[in-house]
Amino acid sequence: MSPDPSAKGPLPSAKGTVPFGEYRTWYRVTGELGAGRPALVAVHGGPGSTHDYLLPLARLAEDGWPVVHYDQLGNGGSTHLPDKDTDFWTVELFLDELANLVEKLGVADDYVLFGQSWGGPLCARHAMTAPPGLRGLVVANAPASYPVWLEEMARLRAELPPGTHETLLRHEAAGTYDSEEYLAAMRVFYDRHVCRLTPWPRDFLSSFMEIYNDPTVYYAMNGPNEFHVIGSLKDWSIVEELHTISTPTLVISGRHDEATPAVVRPYHERIPGARWEVFEDSSHLPHLEEPERFREVMTDFLKGL
C-alpha cells in the first residue's frame, strides 16, 4: 500500500490493488486499519459504477473509523473486461470480490459494510453468510427486490411532467438511448429522484462519467439507466432471505428517493432490529444532499455497535 501524495491534513490515505483471481481490485483506505475501530467498507452502486460518488464517507475516518473504498471489477481502477459475455457478470462474482477484498486487506475480523443502491443487496447477501467479523450493516437507498423496484420506477415515471414519460417510452421502444431527447427526459427523472443538487457534485459526475466510459457491467446487469432495468438483475430479489441477517442494521433512504418506501421497507421489516432513517430533503444520495445529518446518523449508528 503506497501513501497518497495528494492526501492532506489529518486523513492519511493509501491506494493500491489486491489480486482477485487473475484480475485486480482497486482500493483506497482513509485512516489507519486496525487502530481500534472497525473499518467501514463502502460498496458502491451500479452495478458498474465506481467509488467516486461515495468519497465523502472518508470524513468518518476523522471520527476514528478507517474507510475503505473500492471499485468493483470491470470499472474504475479495477480490471476492465469489456469483452466478457453478459453471463460472466453475476451477483456471485461480486460477492466473491467483496469477500476477497476484506480478507486481503486484513479487516475480515472487524469491519462494517456500507452498501449504497446495488451495493445494498450485495452487502445484505454477504451478511446472510454470517461472517464472524462483520460488526454492522448499512443498507442505503437500496432495492431488496428488482421486480418491486421496476414497479416503483413505472409509477415515478408516470408522475413526471407531461410528455416526459411518453418520450422515454418512445426511445426505449426504438432503442435510441443515446438520443439528446431521451437523455434530456432521463435527466428530468434523475434531478427529481437521484440527485436533487444543482449543479451535480463533482464526485457524482465522476462516477456518472465512469459508467459512460465503460458501460459493460452496467448494461449487462442493469440496463441503459436507473429506471429501465432490462439486464440480468431484473428478476433478482433477496426479500425472502432477509430474516436470516443477524448483523445490527441501519437502513437509509431519501424522501424523494427512487428507492421508494415500497422498495426499502423489506429491509426494515424483515431484518430483526433494523433501524430506518429517512432523509426528508434527499433523493438517492443523502450523503451528498444532506451531508451533516448523514454524518450524524452514521456516527450514532457506528458508536452503538
Side-chain angles (χ1 to χ4, degrees):
M1 214 159 51
S2 57
D4 177 14
S6 66
K8 299 177 182 178
L11 291 177
S13 68
K15 302 175 184 178
T17 63
V18 297
F20 174 47
E22 59 187 297
Y23 313 120
R24 308 290 300 187
T25 299
W26 180 94
Y27 69 88
R28 162 183 161 148
V29 176
T30 307
E32 184 180 351
L33 298 178
R37 282 182 163 171
L40 179 75
V41 180
V43 184
H44 64 69
S49 185
T50 60
H51 77 284
D52 300 83
Y53 77 101
L54 293 178
L55 277 173
L57 270 68
R59 290 183 62 196
L60 292 166
E62 296 172 359
D63 302 317
W65 289 278
V67 178
V68 177
H69 288 88
Y70 77 104
D71 288 334
Q72 293 164 28
L73 189 66
N75 288 88
S78 296
T79 305
H80 287 237
L81 298 162
D83 297 326
K84 289 292 186 183
D85 293 334
T86 55
D87 57 5
F88 173 82
W89 304 105
T90 64
V91 174
E92 288 69 27
L93 174 73
F94 292 107
L95 285 171
D96 290 345
E97 183 184 34
L98 175 56
N100 179 75
L101 178 76
V102 298
E103 189 68 40
K104 290 289 197 302
L105 291 182
V107 300
D109 60 348
D110 196 25
Y111 65 107
V112 175
L113 287 181
F114 177 94
Q116 201 278 336
S117 199
W118 137 260
L122 188 68
C123 289
R125 176 55 68 82
H126 177 90
M128 290 172 191
T129 66
L134 181 60
R135 307 297 177 215
L137 171 67
V138 183
V139 177
N141 322 96
S145 163
Y146 277 88
V148 173
W149 173 275
L150 286 168
E151 291 172 3
E152 288 297 283
M153 291 304 102
R155 182 177 67 78
L156 293 176
R157 283 170 45 137
E159 296 172 357
L160 293 174
T164 307
H165 184 39
E166 290 73 18
T167 298
L168 294 170
L169 289 173
R170 186 170 69 254
H171 286 285
E172 286 160 3
T176 49
Y177 303 116
D178 57 353
S179 78
E180 290 297 323
E181 188 180 39
Y182 185 76
L183 294 174
M186 185 180 82
R187 180 65 188 252
V188 174
F189 181 95
Y190 276 56
D191 285 343
R192 280 193 176 197
H193 299 299
V194 180
C195 184
R196 294 169 70 86
L197 298 176
T198 304
W200 281 356
R202 183 182 63 182
D203 293 333
F204 178 52
L205 279 171
S206 295
S207 286
F208 206 79
M209 291 309 298
E210 289 276 6
I211 296 176
Y212 179 82
N213 289 335
D214 187 350
T216 305
V217 184
Y218 193 71
Y219 282 4
M221 298 185 73
N222 188 85
N225 52 49
E226 293 290 294
F227 50 76
H228 192 50
V229 181
I230 55 176
S232 60
L233 287 178
K234 67 181 186 300
D235 299 317
W236 190 53
S237 172
I238 59 169
V239 171
E240 297 305 319
E241 303 133 294
L242 287 172
H243 69 280
T244 65
I245 295 175
S246 57
T247 306
T249 300
L250 169 66
V251 182
I252 287 173
S253 65
R255 179 63 63 195
H256 310 282
D257 208 331
E258 60 178 353
T260 65
V263 167
V264 173
R265 189 173 292 113
Y267 291 107
H268 181 238
E269 291 183 344
R270 292 174 178 261
I271 299 176
R275 165 186 164 192
W276 186 5
E277 291 285 344
V278 179
F279 288 72
E280 293 295 333
D281 297 320
S282 294
S283 55
H284 199 52
L285 305 169
H287 65 283
L288 296 176
E289 295 166 291
E290 294 181 69
E292 295 309 319
R293 177 160 182 251
F294 174 83
R295 186 173 180 176
E296 290 172 4
V297 168
M298 284 292 297
T299 301
D300 181 64
F301 174 71
L302 291 169
K303 285 181 176 178
L305 293 176

